[in-house]
Structures are given as C-alpha cells and as structure tokens.
Amino acid sequence: MVHDYLALTRELALPVPEQLVAVRRDLHRFAEPGWCEVRTACKVTQVLSALGWTVRLGSDVIDTKARLGVPSQDTLDFFFRKAIETGADPATAEKLRDGLTGVVGILRSQRPGPVVAFRFDMDANSGVESGSAHHAPVRNGFASIHAGIHHNCGHDGHTSLGLALARVLAMKRDELVGEIRLIFQPAEEGLRGARAMVAAGALDGVDYFVGCHLGVQALKLGEIIAGYDNILGSVKLDIEFTGVSAHAAISPHVGRNALMAACVAAQNLMALPRHGAGDTRINVGFISGGESRNAVPATARLSIELRADRTAALEYLKEAADRVISGAAIMHDVRWDARPVGESCAASSDVELAQLVAAAARKIPEVTDVRDRADFKASDDAAEMMRTVQSQGGKAVYFGVGTPLNAVHHNPLFDFDERALGIGLKTLTRVAQALEARQ
Amino acid sequence: MVHDYLALTRELALPVPEQLVAVRRDLHRFAEPGWCEVRTACKVTQVLSALGWTVRLGSDVIDTKARLGVPSQDTLDFFFRKAIETGADPATAEKLRDGLTGVVGILRSQRPGPVVAFRFDMDANSGVESGSAHHAPVRNGFASIHAGIHHNCGHDGHTSLGLALARVLAMKRDELVGEIRLIFQPAEEGLRGARAMVAAGALDGVDYFVGCHLGVQALKLGEIIAGYDNILGSVKLDIEFTGVSAHAAISPHVGRNALMAACVAAQNLMALPRHGAGDTRINVGFISGGESRNAVPATARLSIELRADRTAALEYLKEAADRVISGAAIMHDVRWDARPVGESCAASSDVELAQLVAAAARKIPEVTDVRDRADFKASDDAAEMMRTVQSQGGKAVYFGVGTPLNAVHHNPLFDFDERALGIGLKTLTRVAQALEARQ
Amino acid sequence: MVHDYLALTRELALPVPEQLVAVRRDLHRFAEPGWCEVRTACKVTQVLSALGWTVRLGSDVIDTKARLGVPSQDTLDFFFRKAIETGADPATAEKLRDGLTGVVGILRSQRPGPVVAFRFDMDANSGVESGSAHHAPVRNGFASIHAGIHHNCGHDGHTSLGLALARVLAMKRDELVGEIRLIFQPAEEGLRGARAMVAAGALDGVDYFVGCHLGVQALKLGEIIAGYDNILGSVKLDIEFTGVSAHAAISPHVGRNALMAACVAAQNLMALPRHGAGDTRINVGFISGGESRNAVPATARLSIELRADRTAALEYLKEAADRVISGAAIMHDVRWDARPVGESCAASSDVELAQLVAAAARKIPEVTDVRDRADFKASDDAAEMMRTVQSQGGKAVYFGVGTPLNAVHHNPLFDFDERALGIGLKTLTRVAQALEARQ
Amino acid sequence: MVHDYLALTRELALPVPEQLVAVRRDLHRFAEPGWCEVRTACKVTQVLSALGWTVRLGSDVIDTKARLGVPSQDTLDFFFRKAIETGADPATAEKLRDGLTGVVGILRSQRPGPVVAFRFDMDANSGVESGSAHHAPVRNGFASIHAGIHHNCGHDGHTSLGLALARVLAMKRDELVGEIRLIFQPAEEGLRGARAMVAAGALDGVDYFVGCHLGVQALKLGEIIAGYDNILGSVKLDIEFTGVSAHAAISPHVGRNALMAACVAAQNLMALPRHGAGDTRINVGFISGGESRNAVPATARLSIELRADRTAALEYLKEAADRVISGAAIMHDVRWDARPVGESCAASSDVELAQLVAAAARKIPEVTDVRDRADFKASDDAAEMMRTVQSQGGKAVYFGVGTPLNAVHHNPLFDFDERALGIGLKTLTRVAQALEARQ
C-alpha cells in the first residue's frame, strides 16, 4: 500500500496556510520516534529537493559515534519497514535507515552574506495518544497509526513550519544573500540527536542560529516570546547494578543485593546538595529490580536525569551522581554501569537576536503580545547547537510561538491551535529577512 | 484433542514402581501453577474414585475466603481451558475451576482407630524450564508444555506418591482401622493454599499428620530425614505506593514520590532489627516504580517476604514491617496498600512421630541412612496443617526423602532421581501401617 | 569591679569617627550572646537617654511569647551577673534581664512627617575567637572576654553605628519632621529576636524601614549595595527522637531505635525535592544519638535549618520536613518533638528605597562604588521587620556597607575595616535626611 | 593518705567467707576502668606474693601491641595517681602503669600433672552508680569513689574469688600436681584485654582453662550453669568520617558532608543481611556529627559493634561493614577511618569439662540446681583464651554462678548476692581438684 503523502504537487500546490496544516497532520498521523523518522525525513528530503534546495542527509549530517539513545535494531527495522509501507521512497529511505535520520537543506546565494541556520526537530515521543472524540486528531482522522508513539510535543508542527519556510524562502531566493540552512534534526526527545548533527559539522560556519518551539511558557494565540533563557542543560543516565542471587532464607549472606544498591543510590541521588550558584534538578524516573520474591536480587536498573541552568552546576551534578552510584555499588559489592542516553548543555538566547525577533514579531498583525524573554524551565537539545554557534562567534536565539494547549506537553491529549503555525511561519520569515539584512 | 492421561486403566495396570514414574512424568508435562491445577486435580479425583476412595473436592475442601494469592481470572480461565484441551473431565473440572483445586480422598474402616492424614502438594512453579538435552524431562519428552510454568520443586513427584499410596492402601483396605485421609493441596508455592483447606475443615479430627518432601537437606538416594524442625513461618506481602506525578524540572515540589517511598521502605525493611530469641529473614525480592524519566514517580511496588522460626518473631516482623511501610508513605505523602499473598506459620515435627518414621524407614532395604531430624531452613505451608493438628491435640511429622538433584529447587535444571519415589512410597506405606497400629 | 564603659561623657566627647571605633571595641570586648545582651542594651539605653531620646526597653519592646531560642536560665543569669560586674547600671539591667534585651529610641518632631525606623542588631555569636596576634582585637586589646562568645558577624559595628547615628540625629533634631525610631534588636543570630519586637509593636506605624549590614557581598571599602534582595526566609528546628533502650545482643527487637529514626530523617530531609518556583536550602547541621555501644539508642537529636527565597517555598519545606520527621518516627516507633528555635520570612528591598539609598550614597566622597542591588544569599531576621512594614503599606530597604574582611563571617578570624563605620554612618545620615524630605 | 587495703594480714586473717566479702567491697569502692586497674592489680600482686605464688605482671604478661581501646594518657595518669593515693605500693604500681595491669600467679608442683588456668577479670565499667539508699554499696559504705566508674558487672566479685582461690589452693599446695595459673585480666569490658595476655604467652601450655561469671542467665542462688555455649564473638569499631565544611546556604555544593556519610553508613550497617548459618547482631550505639546548624558538617563519628556466634559469620560482618563504610565515604566524598577498639572471637565450653563442672557442683550442699549448659547470649573475651587453649589441644569451660541481681548488668543499681561468692569459691575449688585428678 502506498500512501499519497508524496503527492508533493498536491501539498505544495495548496496555499501556504493550508499546506502548513496538511503537512502537520500527515506527520502527526505517521508519527515516528527518535532515530526512526525515516518517512518524515524522506518527505523532508523530497520537498526540499522539489523546491530546489541542495540536500544533505543521512551519514553526511549524522555522526554515528555522537548519537545517544539509539533504539534497538528491531525498533529501527520496524519503522523502516513501516516507512516503506506508508510511501517513503525506498532509495532515500535506504540512506536514512539505521538511525541516520537527519536532513539539511541549503540555499546559497552568489552574493556574500551571513550563514543563517534554522532548526526544526522531527521526532514523535513515547506515549499513548488519547482516543477520545474530544481529541482533534481523532476527530479529524489524523491520530497516530503507531500505538504508543505520539506527536505530543508539537514537533509535527515544527517540521511543517520548516517545510513551509523552505517554500517561502525558495520563492524569494533571488533576494537572498549569504547562505540559509534548514536543519531537520532527529531525536530531540531525550536530548539524543543534536550532538550527532553538530559533530557532523551541520553547524559549521553558522553566523546566526534560530530555533523555535510551540506553546512553551506561551499559551496565548498571538503571543511571541522573543528569546528563551536558561534552557536547562541535562544528562540522562541509565544505570544498571549487577549483583549475585542467593536464597533469601538459606543463604542471604551469600547474595550481593543489586536492589539495595539501587535504592541507596536513588535516595542519595535525590539528596545531592543544591548548588549555591545554579538551579539544579534531579529525578529518578524509573526503578526496577529483582527476580523472585525469595531470592536476593541480582539485578536492578535506574533511569535518572540531572538538570542545571549552567554548565558548572551540571558538571557538579554529574560528578556527584557518579560518586553516589559507585559508592552504592561498593557498599553492596555489586557491579555498576551508567550509560548516558541523552545529553545537552544549558544555553540562553543572545539578547541582540532576541531583540531582532521581537522587532520582527511586532510587525505581524496577528501578533498581539511580544515578551522580550522568558525562562524555558525545561531542556531542549537546540541548546547544543546554540552553544556551538555562540562558541564559534555567532549568535543564537530560541523563540516561542504562543498557542493554547488542550493539555500540557507529553500528555495523551496534547494538541495545539493550528493557527499558531501561520504566525510562526510569518515570524520565521521576517526573522530570516532581518538577519539577511544584517550582513 | 484429548490426551490419554485418563487411560487410567493403563496407568493403574502398571506395576506400582512404573506407575510412580508414569504419573510423575504426565504431571510434569502438564504443569499447572497454584490455584490452576484443574487437570492435576481432575486426575487425582478420577484415580481416587476408581480405587474406591470417597472423594471430596472443590468448594467442599477449599474455603474461598481463606485463599491467598489467587491469580487473575484470565490466568484461571487459561488453565481451565488447557485442562479441558488436555483431557480433563469437563464435569469434574467444572467443580474445580476458578481456584477450587483441592481434593481429599477418604478411606474409612468399620473398626475404630485413629484418623491419619497424608498431605501432597500439586502445584508447579513459575520459572522457565531448561531446554537443554541434559535435562531429563527434555530428553525423555515430558518437559512442561506451558512456557514459564515448571515443576521445579518436585510436587509432581509428591502427587504421584500420593496416588500410588492411594492404590497400595486401597489394596490393603481390609486391614485398616480408623480413617485415612489423602489431602491433595493446591498452591503450596507462595504459601497460598494450606489455610484454605484448613479453614474448610480438611484437617478436622486428624490424630496424625504426615507430610514429606523430596530432596530438602537430603541429597543422597536412600537417605531419610525422619522429621524436619523449624519449618520457617513466613508472610509474603505485595506493597503498593501511590503518589502524584509532576514534571520533575518544572514542578518537582508538586509531586508525591512513590518511588522514594518504596526505596526508603526497602532499606528500612532490610534494617529491621534481629530478634533476640528467634531466627528471622527479610527479603525485598522485587521493586518497580516510575512512569517516565522526567516525571516524579506516582507509583511503585515492592514484593517482600518475612520469615521466622517461631510465631513471636514472625509477629514482631509483621508489626515492624507495617510501621516501616506506613512511615515511608507518610514521609513521602503517598498512599500505600500492603496485601498478603501468602502466609504460613512455623512448625516442627513431633519427636514421637519422627521416631516412628525413623523406625519405619530403617526397615526398608533401600534406605541406607536415617537422620533423626534436620532444620528445614525454608518454608512450606504444610506447617499450617501441622500446627492445626498439633493444636487439636494430634501429632504431626514432615519427613524428607533423599535424592540427588540435578540443580537446586526452583532452578531451570531442577530434577530428581525417580528411584526416590519408590523409597518414598515404601516409607509412606510403612508409616501408615505403624500409625494404624498405634490406635 | 566597675569598668569605665559608662564614662559616656568620655566616649560622646570624642569626635564621631573616634566614637565609632571606641564604642565598637568596647562592645566587641564585652561580647554577649542573643537574649543576654544586658550590658550592651544598658549602654544603648544610657547613651540614648543622655542624648535626649525617649527610650523604651525590656518588656515594653519585647513580647516574651514571641521570642525564639531563649537560652537556659543559667546562661541568662551568668551574663546578667557579668553585665553588672562589667559596669552595667543595675536598675536598667534589672529591666533587661531574663531575655528582655531590646531597646527602642524615639525622637518625635512637632512637625508632621513620616515615621522612619533604623534597625541595629546587638548580639555576638557562639564561636571561639582567634587568639592570634594577627587578629586585630587581640593586638589592640579588645578581644572578647567571654570564651566561646565572639562578635564574628559585625553586630558590634552595627550597634556602634546606631549609637553614632543617635548622636548625629540628636544634634540635628531641630531639622527633623515626623518621627525617628532607632531599634536595637537582640538575638539576630539564629533568627530569634525580630519577631518578639514586631509582636511588641516596635514597628507599628513605621513608613520607612532601613537596615544595613557590614561586608555581605560587598568586600571593598567604599562600596555600597543600595538594596539587598532575596534575604532568605528560614526556619531553624531542633528535633528530638525518644525511643526505648534495649541490650543490642540479647533483645534488639525490644528496642525502639531513636538513632535510626534520626538517620532516616536526616537523609530524607536532604532529599526533599527542589521547589520549581523558588530557591531552597536544607541543612542538617548537627546530629547526636545513643547512650552506649551495646544498647539500642533511645535518644537522638538533629539541628536543622530550612531556607527559601520566597514564602511559598519555605512553607512547602516546613510541611515536607514535618512529614519526613513524623514518618521517620513512625517507622521506628519512637516519639518525636520538633521545636522552632529561630524563624524569619524572606524579604527584598523596595526598589524605590534602594534608589534613594543609591542616590544618597553617591553623594559621599568616600563611596567609590554603588551597586543597585545584590542577592543577600543568606538570612537575617531584619526581613521580619521589612515584611511587617511592607505589609502595613510602608517601604523597606536593607543595604550593604562594603569592607574587606580578614576572614568570612562566623570565622574565628573575622574582622572588618573600621573605616567602613564612617562610611556607613554617612550613608545612614544621608538616607535619614532623604527620607525626611519625602514626607 | 594511705588506705589500709594493704593490711593484708587483716584480710587474709579473716575466715575465707568473710575475706571474700571484704575484698570484694574494697575493690568495689576503689573501682578502676580497663587498663587503669593499678590499685587492683597491685593488691592482687601483693596477695599472691604473700601466699607464696610466683607472680608475673606488667609487660611480662601484657603484649602492648595487642592491646585494644587503651584510654588516653590523661586517664591512665589519673588512675595511677589515685592508686598511689589510695595505698598502692609505688614500686609495684610503676610496673603496672600505662596500661600494663595484668597479673599471673603460678603455683608449680614437683609432681607431673596438667597445667590448669583460672581466669578472673578485674576492671570496672563506665556508668554512674546509683546513690540510692536502696543500693547496698551505698548503704554499706563501699560505693565507688570515682564518679562514672562503677563495678556494675561483678568483676569485683570475680577478682575476690580469684584471691580466695589463691588462698585455698596455697593451703593445699602439697596435694597439687602439675601447675596452677591464676590469670587476673584487665579490660574485659569492651573486649580489650584478653588478646594482649594471650599474645604475651599467658595461656601457653595450658591444658585446662576455667572461667566463670556471676549472674549471667542464672539468677537463683544455688544455681550453677556448668558450661556456657555460644559466647558471641564481637568487634567494636570507632568510625570517623572527615569531609569539608561549607556555608549551607551560600555554597552547599562545595561541602563534603560527613554527617550524611555517617547516616547512610548507619542505615546500611543495620541492613547488613542475616547470615544463613550463624546468629548475628549489629548495633550502631553512638552517632555524633556536625559543627554548626548552618554549615555542611565536616566531621562525624559512629561507635558500632558487630557480633556473631561463629567465626565465619563474624568475618562476614566485618567485611560487609567495611564495604558499607567505605561505600558511604565514597558516596559523599569524605575520608574515613575505622579503628577497632575491642575484639573477641566466639567460643563454647567443651562438653567434657562442662560435665566435670556439673559433677563437681553437684557435690556442694548449697548448690540446688545444676544446668548442663546455656547460651551465653552476650560477649566475653574469655572466649579468646578458650579458643587459644582449644586450638593448642586443651579444653576450656566457662561456667555460671547463679545469683539474684538487684538490676541487670550495667545498670546503675546492679548488685549481686554476696553469698554467691562462697558457692563460686567452692565450685572453683572442687573443679581445680577434679582437674588435678585427671592427669
């Protein structure tokens, strides 16, 4: 069965506002988790190509060694097959398979000018989507076909914005100077993808970096947050303790209790001291351990995350967590392993670019409320790209597009107001023009 | 498809030693977990009836309110269907379904005499059976047909012993005095079944109680332990903590952390003080908790067991555990529930009956080594029956039948030497005769 | 023996800058801890009276029921006797004894105008003063005569500033409008005194409140921080667990282990979750427990403090700490008691008054560096007075006077540059004038 | 001031029963703690010499390197001075000072025979003695002159028994064969002294070892327990954690929290798993930590003891405790030190000797009740000597002399019935004779 999503002519023939909605709904329906966005990235590739963008993809834009949290081969294979079944171009898909799902579109002018990068994330999230008739995707027939995989964070909207921006900028290509890069990133959820694109050079030479998010700290249609500050840096760790089983009544002293090591570690991780000069967060999100009620548990696992609003505080947490985990393991004479499955630094928008975004937004009639800044209060691995650009002398901004939400991010009922897409696109377009003008 | 296990004529036509092996292998192959022993109990019922025993079964011998750890209806239904598919008599099965899988055979003499009860447990255990060709059940074609359910504790042998004893005693029925009861008990694993048979009156009026186990503290063919002491009392609890989820970065203070309550409880349970006058054991065998790496965990579960060699110490542990669990819940402002899923008291054999068993065993040529006593060091809910009989003025013994084991109880490779069945039967027979003689 | 500190004529006859140093050194030498400042408050009383201020003291300005952390009667008696021995006027001392060591000086004009209050704290701290010749108080002969009591936080300087301000304002009394109040507060260390003065009405009717501190976040001579923000709210608790002793080998199960309750509480207090909207701090500063190596400990104590930069977060911590402590007590079946021994809310300076302080400071030649604001990062119960004034519609400011420090506050070698006193006095004087002018 | 305790002629001139009481009361009054028994050991030395025993003392019978828990030099000096003041012979005291307070008396026959050793412990204990008139030592004027040092375990009675036995045996010296050794041991409390005497060779060549205790598991006058079993082995450890202090509000992340390390260690020590084949005990008897409520604690201390009824279980506890302590230190990045301050192995009486004691006791008219054995349930470093003798092929027995107690051992009101001393002496005398007869 081949779906008609590649009826590009049809989608691109729509008026831009209608394209925004149509593409978003298509992506929502065929939601794909991080590193598995084969169909999504195929579509991005083909749209960009059709619009005349130079496209780089797969291993050209993903450094495999810098990836984090790549799922099992079974999962990768499953979504590859599904992508083919739901219309992905097999030749393109082949280049994206096995966790290589990044795409970069490039439009280079003959005239000198700055390199401006826009970043859009493509992955859906784990999570059961609501089946309620009150949930618009259900009502309008675009609920996710994959049970347990769900665009509950708005990345379907982000990617749709990217493709619409690609169309608008392609139409204005004669006015461009310098270079525009559209970065379509996999695996933002869990902070797994940005580093691999940075490591592959996708941000090399970028002067201005622009990212945006729907509905974070901005819940009103027409509201723009010109620049987020304090995107929290974060490390996600999967920790495993391995001990020795023993009969809990006959020979408890022979066991090496992995469950107790995990419990002690969990408690002491939560008790890591506050940092005097930075805001920190710690969570032990999952625990599991043990094999049988009457055996000393030989295995246990923790999934934790550490966050901080500045590098020094995050480094402090990492070192302290490492000590807690190893101390707990020594205490119970068990082996331990801590595997990072996601990581991103902290970052803040440059004031200069935030002012540029604010000025651009104020010119848009539908924008009724421009806030200069807000704390992001959560994490996004766009921060890795921002920090990279800032460290090479460029400027970065991450701005917010207001929208009412049916339910908070990551909720089964999460949904945004699709009219926000139009406002987001206009903001992006004006920001692009303003940055071009700064050359 | 109807299996030929009900070819009773065939099995009962075999010489007794061959019957012992044939029945044991049939039961091993069609292993059924606790409260699901429909096919096993059907077979027991039909054999006893065929041999002329009066049979009581189902709700006549199981008090439903006193059952512990009954599995889900789905599981009960599954094994009921499988029992029918593998040859169980539908009319009998109907009386045993939904967790009523107890059977009692009664042989009553006209002549006055004591009431002597023999108890055999019928359930298989959770656990994956080895698929290795070195495992005799695999090699000889009687490995369990149910993945994850496995006779790894010898109850297949125990039930086979019970049916052979039924045949031998039936043949000698003219010599009998008083009354013989053969109690076939479900759900010994997890200490879930004995109380329900006691509560239904299965032990009422019993003067002498006899139970036996293969291969506990006795690993030599020809070895008999005449009476176990210090069968540990035990309580099995499933504990559940329920808190409130919250975003771990944005509003950690709003959460009510069930995982932390579980970790604190686990640590403090393990730290319950020793008892000055009794041997105690505590195990937290399982833990699980949490929903998502970045959310304050709202749910957590522990599976624990408490054991002690005397009632006062077990009561102490129960009260202390209750305090730990409720304290941990209060500490983290979460709700908690602790459900007993298994329980048995502690018990020891009466010296008088152990001497009788020893004397009986010494007369058997294959018995090479009789030990007067041994600590059981584990739990068995035969203790509930022993204690019941002792408290009504009777005497009880639980003896051991030696056998080499391929691997320890509950191991995927557990297997015993089938020649031990013959020795066990002879011991049981002689013990029955000696008890009859005591009138 | 009568010391000559009451040679008021002599001290008040000195030029003001010399008076500042002389008084400070006298107070440093006769350091008195919180609620025991009998000699200090006597001196304040007599200086104010001599200068023509109306003076209220003792139970007129201290609400005994609102006091926190009052020391034992023995300690109160000891310092009362010492005060008399070192020259305190017995009649005045009688009014101040037993923890009534507050003084308020009032200067009321005939002309209408605002009520302006200045607050100075008088208590020394626990802590051994350095005996090194490198320590100026030792070199110059004004080290504390009381072993273990030491002005290591600059309150000697604060009180000296207050008395010099009294002299300067008294000289200008004809220019005054409205009312000036000089509040000399006991027991700031441990946040124990401010509430008792607020409860006694010392802040009633105040329009403008001014406090200041030497050397907090301002370590340069000539530096003024015009207004501190985020003075942390704090609660200090002494927690006691009482269990039951038992021989640890013979009957451990009979004990009720207070030490374990304290350890569990300590760990779980440190693990109280961060607050999503406020900065929090937790410290378990002291622990002690147990009576004998071979007995189950029947007693244990913790001294803790909770802090937060806003009321909601502090309330959250208090409730959560209460749960942890009671949960730990339930867990180990011990009794518990948590006694507040210090408490203060959080507060920030009003921007309007901070601007006024900044403007005033900029006019002083010795002031080289005016910072508009800084986070206080610690606690001071001046916050209780600020919050009181703010809640009755007034404005409050707490400003900082820069000084190099020999060692940080509370260190045995703590000492400040006495030249800062002159700068502080000029700032206070100009602030008083500016506030008067605002009527 | 010279006390008349050395009026040996007077004490030794008394009838033996009166001597027993007089000596006991003298020792009770001049109670000396472990390693400080200078006056006691002087008295023992002089009595033995006067009776014609060969005496070895001080560094001849104490290996200084094998001593545990020697108190500070100040304490040693204090009790040395007090010993001289209360009549100790200065020349003898000089040999015993500085923790060399052991004495061995030897009586060697010309005739061949076994080497028989009797051991008596001499030290008093820490603990405030009751001042109540209901307390016999108060009523009769022999309460301890040293506040906080108190014979609350009966060692005054043990030493008195030893000196009376010396007199009785000296009188019968012509009947003796082989060799009799009377070992007067310091520092039994805390298990600190026995090893040092064993290491110095005091038990070399001993064929039969005899020890006894008043009032352990035997609370009836006239009761004898012929041999204790399962004297628990024990290790006493003082643990110190050293971290880094920091301001708990300003820079909590800089601290290294020793108090938390101690709490985590305490909790996990209590949670050390039971041993499958031995009875174990763990106690954290003391904790202290922290310097100031508002500083991250830089120091913390624990006093713990581990006990087990067999060597393997004690070794297991020691290794496991070591892991817990080091793990806790690593977890909180603090340094740690664990110092053994007492240690003894586990031991049981040889059945053969217990039977000999029972037979001897049965011949004594005042003995009304002889029990063959009892579990000791506590620790006594006599076990070190028993184990030494047993390991060199000899036999050992530790027997109990029944006495009602006013209050349990180590209680301020502890006191025994002095009539038990006469029964004890008769038992010792008959045991000596019976052992001599075994040659």
Side-chain angles (χ1 to χ4, degrees), chain C residues 204-393:
Chain C
D204 288 0
V206 170
D207 298 296
Y208 301 118
F209 173 90
V210 182
C212 67
H213 209 297
L214 288 159
V216 172
Q217 318 292 344
L219 297 175
K220 229 168 35 188
L221 194 67
E223 185 178 9
I224 294 289
I225 292 172
Y228 288 114
D229 288 339
N230 295 324
I231 298 171
L232 298 176
S234 183
V235 180
K236 321 290 188 190
L237 295 171
D238 280 356
I239 303 160
E240 208 167 312
F241 296 99
T242 310
V244 174
S245 186
H247 192 286
I250 296 171
S251 50
H253 61 290
V254 168
R256 294 293 176 254
N257 197 324
L259 185 154
M260 288 307 290
C263 287
V264 171
Q267 284 181 76
N268 284 275
L269 285 167
M270 293 302 291
L272 286 182
R274 274 73 172 160
H275 192 280
D279 217 13
T280 56
R281 295 286 183 275
I282 301 155
N283 198 48
V284 178
F286 279 115
I287 192 170
S288 67
E291 300 82 42
S292 156
R293 188 190 301 275
N294 68 349
V296 175
T299 57
R301 279 171 201 78
L302 297 176
S303 299
I304 73 165
E305 61 170 23
L306 310 170
R307 308 203 205 207
D309 63 357
R310 65 202 64 198
T311 303
L314 189 58
E315 288 306 310
Y316 151 72
L317 284 181
K318 285 164 67 174
E319 286 165 26
D322 196 75
R323 283 198 294 266
V324 164
I325 296 162
S326 62
I330 286 165
M331 191 172 273
H332 292 279
D333 205 16
V334 301
R335 284 175 295 122
W336 66 280
D337 181 65
R339 205 160 46 89
V341 293
E343 182 157 7
S344 174
C345 61
S348 286
S349 298
D350 286 294
V351 172
E352 189 181 331
L353 284 206
Q355 287 170 344
L356 181 147
V357 170
R362 286 200 179 90
K363 292 182 191 140
I364 301 166
E366 294 93 330
V367 170
T368 53
D369 186 4
V370 176
R371 286 158 61 197
D372 288 343
R373 62 167 301 289
D375 279 338
F376 194 69
K377 294 204 169 177
S379 303
D380 190 307
D381 67 3
E384 288 281 319
M385 298 185 173
M386 297 169 74
R387 186 65 68 91
T388 300
V389 169
Q390 288 166 337
S391 73
Q392 57 197 30

Side-chain angles (χ1 to χ4, degrees), chain D residues 239-256:
Chain D
I239 303 161
E240 207 167 313
F241 295 99
T242 310
V244 175
S245 187
H247 192 287
I250 296 171
S251 48
H253 61 289
V254 167
R256 295 293 177 256

Side-chain angles (χ1 to χ4, degrees), chain C residues 237-238 248-250 260 267 270 281 283-295 297 304-305 307 341, chain D residues 237-238 248-249 260 264 267 270 281 283-295 297 304-305 307 341 377:
Chain C
L237 295 171
D238 280 356
I250 296 171
M260 288 307 290
Q267 284 181 76
M270 293 302 291
R281 295 286 183 275
N283 198 48
V284 178
F286 279 115
I287 192 170
S288 67
E291 300 82 42
S292 156
R293 188 190 301 275
N294 68 349
I304 73 165
E305 61 170 23
R307 308 203 205 207
V341 293
Chain D
L237 294 171
D238 279 357
M260 289 304 290
V264 171
Q267 197 175 338
M270 292 302 290
R281 294 289 183 273
N283 198 48
V284 178
F286 280 115
I287 191 170
S288 67
E291 298 83 43
S292 158
R293 188 190 302 274
N294 68 350
I304 72 167
E305 59 170 24
R307 306 204 206 204
V341 294
K377 293 204 172 179

Side-chain angles (χ1 to χ4, degrees), chain D residues 180-222:
Chain D
I180 302 271
R181 274 187 220 165
L182 302 183
I183 298 174
F184 291 87
Q185 180 203 307
E188 187 282 329
E189 297 291 347
L191 311 180
R192 298 174 292 152
R195 285 202 170 176
M197 295 196 82
V198 169
L203 279 298
D204 288 0
V206 171
D207 297 295
Y208 301 117
F209 173 90
V210 181
C212 67
H213 208 298
L214 287 160
V216 172
Q217 318 293 346
L219 297 175
K220 231 169 34 188
L221 194 66

